């Protein structure tokens, strides 16, 4: 998409990657690069849902992804299934 990647995380048990950008989005991909999901910036009831992504980390056993942003907010995401 022409946007610089600013964070990368690989899940230790599941073959997926997460990439983040200061353009306020996270992509979840297979190891082959197929995009499984996007997490994008949007305004919501409680305010901003994702800021410029500076770091990502998967939980070692659970389907959880932590995302740190340059606005000092940490968000936790999980699979909705």
């Amino acid at each position: 998409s022409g946007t610089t990647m600013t964070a990368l995380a690989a899940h230790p048990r599941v073959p997926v990657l997460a990439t983040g950008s200061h353009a306020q989005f996270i992509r979840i991909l297979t190891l082959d690069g197929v995009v499984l999901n996007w997490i994008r910036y949007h305004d919501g009831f409680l305010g901003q849902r994702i800021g410029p992504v500076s770091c990502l980390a998967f939980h070692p056993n659970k389907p959880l992804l932590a995302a740190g942003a340059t606005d000092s907010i940490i968000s936790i995401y999980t699979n909705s299934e």
Side-chain angles (χ1 to χ4, degrees):
S1 68
T3 304
T4 303
M5 178 175 45
T6 56
L8 171 71
H11 195 285
R13 296 178 190 260
V14 180
V16 295
L17 301 170
T19 65
S21 170
H22 279 183
Q24 298 174 292
F25 69 84
I26 298 168
R27 287 189 304 175
I28 310 298
L29 310 109
T30 67
L31 298 181
D32 294 325
V34 176
V35 177
L36 300 173
N37 203 352
W38 287 81
I39 302 168
R40 293 187 176 103
Y41 169 85
H42 67 279
D43 286 323
F45 175 71
L46 298 175
Q48 181 177 317
R49 296 291 186 204
I50 186 172
V53 179
S54 59
C55 59
L56 295 165
F58 280 104
H59 187 281
N61 299 311
K62 297 180 181 179
L64 300 173
L65 174 66
T70 60
D71 58 4
S72 302
I73 301 293
I74 298 171
S75 301
I76 306 291
Y77 300 97
T78 188
N79 187 341
S80 60
E81 293 179 4

